[in-house]
Amino acid sequence: MGRAEGRASPYAKPMSYGAGFTVLPLSEECVSPWHVSMPQRDHARLEWRAPDDVLGRARPEAWTCACRATFYELRVGAGQGFIRRTLQDEDGHRVHETRLWRITEARAVWSALLAGQAR
């Protein structure tokens, strides 16, 4: 199903979030407002680990669009949060996760990731 001609997508315009950064949509066909910006030269490097089921019931609170080969989820539960990274390729997908943080810290890292300040 295509978009009705003449109707602009609500995601076709820049959207501002949290720490004063703006996220631009890839195209009008993309339905997610969350896309990761290019990494900045001095970005923080996150440590990515194999998934751990310590927060097996963690729920996704925010996520980036799966229109790119790599997408991310901010997952929270039990007062803690982490970021899940999924790499998609022709062989399937690989999942990695960060360590756990308090929810406020996890949200700050999520904002930094979206702004290209962490990767």
Side-chain angles (χ1 to χ4, degrees):
M1 300 179 96
R3 180 170 296 125
E5 231 170 306
R7 283 182 60 194
S9 164
Y11 303 112
K13 54 189 169 207
M15 300 182 84
S16 297
Y17 297 96
F21 61 90
T22 301
V23 177
L24 298 173
L26 290 180
S27 74
E28 287 194 26
E29 296 301 314
C30 187
V31 297
S32 175
W34 300 103
H35 290 98
V36 177
S37 298
M38 294 295 293
Q40 295 182 6
R41 183 178 318 222
D42 58 346
H43 70 275
R45 298 210 178 260
L46 300 175
E47 180 183 335
W48 297 101
R49 307 170 177 185
D52 187 355
D53 200 29
V54 69
L55 278 183
R57 295 182 60 128
R59 66 188 186 287
E61 179 175 282
W63 52 89
T64 63
C65 187
C67 67
R68 293 189 177 173
T70 303
F71 65 93
Y72 302 87
E73 296 173 281
L74 170 61
R75 298 181 72 85
V76 298
Q80 297 182 309
F82 63 94
I83 298 172
R84 176 176 287 172
R85 176 181 71 182
T86 302
L87 306 167
Q88 307 175 94
D89 59 27
E90 59 276 350
D91 297 329
H93 65 278
R94 291 171 292 170
V95 176
H96 300 98
E97 297 174 349
T98 63
R99 67 181 185 84
L100 293 173
W101 293 286
R102 289 180 294 151
I103 288 178
T104 55
E105 291 174 292
R107 288 179 181 142
V109 174
W110 175 254
S111 292
L113 178 83
L114 291 177
Q117 298 169 348
R119 189 73 83 240

